Amino acid sequence: MILHRYFARRYLTTLASIFGIFFAIMAFLDLVEQLRQFSDVGVSFADVVSLTLLNLPQSLYGIFPLIVILSTIALFLGLARSSELVITRAAGRSGLRALAAPAGVAFIVGVVAVAAINPIVASTSREYEVRAASLKGVDAALTLAADGLWLRQGSDEGQTVIKASSSNLEGTQLGDVTFLTFATEGGPTRRVDAEAATLANGMWSVTNAKVWPLSDTRNPEAEAQLFDTFEIPSNLTADQIRDSFGTPSSIPIWELPGFIQRLQDAGFSARRHAVWLQSELAMPVFLVAMVLVGSAFTMRHQRGGRTGIMVLYAVLISFALYFVRNFATILGENGQIPVMLAAWAPPFGAIGLALGLLLHLEDG
């Protein structure tokens, strides 16, 4: 246990060091990107710094598996350079048993990241999206609630709030819909209840509609009119409606199951969010796979130029696994493969590959 605690402490120290280096690099790169992105908006430097700090957790969280693989390589190169691994083997400990502590630390860090850090990243990501949209003059168009979905559109004449009980996958066909229009001063001017509404060519085309005038009238019901078809101008597009959901990473993992259920109840596809949820749950397993891959090439005693080649192999394979994981996620989001397969196959496949390499290099 003393040896395991020693390896675990060394790995945590190395992981913290590599994370700090990436934090500094990513902060500088993101600051430059925010300055470029908002240069034509005229925001202050303080606003740019706040946007950078809000966007930085998501960037670091996305490359955390790569930080783990680099930390593993750095750890075992240091242990090999000091001949501590040779002494460990001479004491009767196999290479696989020496991996127990770093792999366990990676798994625990992954669980903590998913359970505790993911909600923090989701909050900062959501706040970044809101602030960035506000600075660009673009408001979120859609909100999901237990009683249906709510849309908001604006024009020079005022704002229109739209509530619907159901929708198609694109958000362009609504059922059991209500349009409530407000003047620029804030008072309601018109209410429209319709059986259905379809968005096309900058217009909501509603069917079986009843229209109540709410301004300059004492009895809206007496002046209400019925229409078989009725058109309402709109500045919304299907892309804007889809983008209003935000990225799955901006939703805390504890809230994702309920959000997925609301998406499905509203008629939208929740496949993208379901894949993200399962990928997050598989994160600890994937981090263990990264540790195994990194150690497979760097646990052996250093022998001249072979060290550089082994490190290069470890980095290339880890990048390849990272790419395969992202590619499987895309296939899962597009419905090409099942959700569970897209999320869980890459981590377990990576563990199988790494164990095969370890057994071959250690005992083969």
Side-chain angles (χ1 to χ4, degrees), residues 248-267:
S249 60
S250 64
I251 304 171
I253 191 170
W254 302 109
E255 300 177 9
L256 260 180
F259 187 84
I260 290 172
Q261 186 61 47
R262 291 199 299 272
L263 275 177
Q264 293 173 341
D265 292 342

Side-chain angles (χ1 to χ4, degrees), residues 44-314:
S44 64
F45 184 74
D47 290 333
V48 173
V49 172
S50 66
L51 288 173
T52 300
L53 294 177
L54 289 173
N55 191 48
L56 189 58
Q58 182 181 8
S59 302
L60 289 171
Y61 191 77
I63 64 170
F64 194 67
L66 300 181
I67 296 177
V68 168
I69 187 74
L70 293 178
S71 301
T72 304
I73 292 174
L75 170 70
F76 284 103
L77 284 179
L79 293 176
R81 187 180 300 111
S82 61
S83 298
E84 290 174 274
L85 288 177
V86 176
I87 297 173
T88 300
R89 290 188 178 90
R93 296 274 182 171
S94 66
L96 289 178
R97 292 185 67 183
L99 277 175
V105 169
F107 185 83
I108 294 173
V109 169
V111 171
V112 172
V114 172
I117 300 179
N118 175 278
I120 298 175
V121 173
S123 299
T124 56
S125 302
R126 185 60 181 171
E127 182 65 20
Y128 171 79
E129 292 177 359
V130 171
R131 290 195 186 184
S134 176
L135 290 173
K136 293 179 179 179
V138 178
D139 293 328
L142 186 146
T143 302
L144 282 175
D147 57 348
L149 58 96
W150 296 78
L151 286 161
R152 184 176 70 253
Q153 64 181 36
S155 65
D156 295 336
E157 299 178 356
Q159 297 282 329
T160 299
V161 177
I162 308 169
K163 178 187 177 298
S165 299
S166 61
S167 170
N168 66 342
L169 296 180
E170 300 296 321
T172 56
Q173 295 180 7
L174 308 178
D176 190 13
V177 59
T178 298
F179 295 81
L180 190 59
T181 303
F182 294 85
T184 54
E185 295 80 9
T189 60
R190 183 179 63 186
R191 172 174 174 169
V192 178
D193 282 3
E195 180 181 318
T198 302
L199 178 64
N201 301 322
M203 289 284 182
W204 286 106
S205 178
V206 300
T207 57
N208 298 328
K210 185 175 183 179
V211 181
W212 290 269
L214 301 180
S215 62
D216 300 329
T217 180
R218 293 184 177 181
N219 191 349
E221 182 64 30
E223 300 183 20
Q225 294 178 287
L226 297 176
F227 296 89
D228 291 334
T229 59
F230 189 80
E231 289 189 342
I232 301 174
S234 176
N235 60 351
L236 295 177
T237 64
D239 291 337
Q240 287 176 331
I241 294 175
R242 285 193 301 268
D243 293 342
S244 297
F245 287 120
T247 58
S249 60
S250 64
I251 304 171
I253 191 170
W254 302 109
E255 300 177 9
L256 260 180
F259 187 84
I260 290 172
Q261 186 61 47
R262 291 199 299 272
L263 275 177
Q264 293 173 341
D265 292 342
F268 289 95
S269 173
R271 194 173 189 89
R272 181 186 179 194
H273 295 77
V275 171
W276 172 258
L277 173 61
Q278 294 299 324
S279 297
E280 286 297 285
L281 295 177
M283 173 69 76
V285 181
F286 190 70
L287 295 184
V288 172
M290 291 292 100
V291 171
L292 296 179
V293 169
S295 62
F297 292 96
T298 55
M299 286 188 68
R300 306 185 73 180
H301 190 66
Q302 296 185 19
R303 298 176 182 177
R306 288 183 58 84
T307 300
I309 296 176
M310 288 296 184
V311 171
L312 179 61
Y313 285 159

Side-chain angles (χ1 to χ4, degrees), residues 304-339:
R306 288 183 58 84
T307 300
I309 296 176
M310 288 296 184
V311 171
L312 179 61
Y313 285 159
V315 173
L316 290 178
I317 290 181
S318 64
F319 272 93
L321 293 175
Y322 190 74
F323 170 79
V324 168
R325 178 172 179 256
N326 291 340
F327 184 66
T329 299
I330 294 174
L331 292 179
E333 292 175 352
N334 293 335
Q336 303 297 319
I337 59 177
V339 171

